[in-house]
Amino acid sequence: TKLFTFEGGALRLNCSKLAGGSVQVEIQDRRGAPVQGFELERCHQVIGDGFELAVDWEGEPALARLAGTPVRLRLALVDADVYAFRFGD
């Protein structure tokens, strides 16, 4: 994504997947480098289809610590579509 800032401590997706599909998210800094704790390989696959699906990472790093800091998202999709994302609590 382009650089943006957010508020809140949770990331939610509106997405759909085919059987066997997956969605994972990495949070990157302004240079495009992964933010420690939010690397793609640490992201749990988003389960199911629908609105407000939670994104989380191994070790449950505190997403709120990045609030107000410019970041990018890298989305890894396999047989999936993401329609929207939002940050909140």
Side-chain angles (χ1 to χ4, degrees), residues 17-88:
K17 300 183 299 291
L18 297 176
S22 65
V23 176
Q24 290 177 286
V25 180
E26 175 176 271
I27 299 180
Q28 300 179 341
D29 64 17
R30 65 175 53 245
R31 298 180 329 268
V35 174
Q36 185 176 2
F38 298 96
E39 298 91 351
L40 190 65
E41 53 277 351
R42 293 181 58 133
C43 182
H44 297 129
Q45 288 187 5
V46 176
I47 304 298
D49 295 339
F51 303 98
E52 300 292 315
L53 299 175
V55 178
D56 59 355
W57 292 264
E58 291 175 19
E60 300 181 25
L63 184 58
R65 74 178 166 91
L66 300 176
T69 304
V71 296
R72 301 176 195 274
L73 295 184
R74 174 183 169 208
L75 303 170
L77 310 175
V78 176
D79 290 331
D81 293 303
V82 172
Y83 304 108
F85 63 87
R86 80 169 183 87
F87 289 84

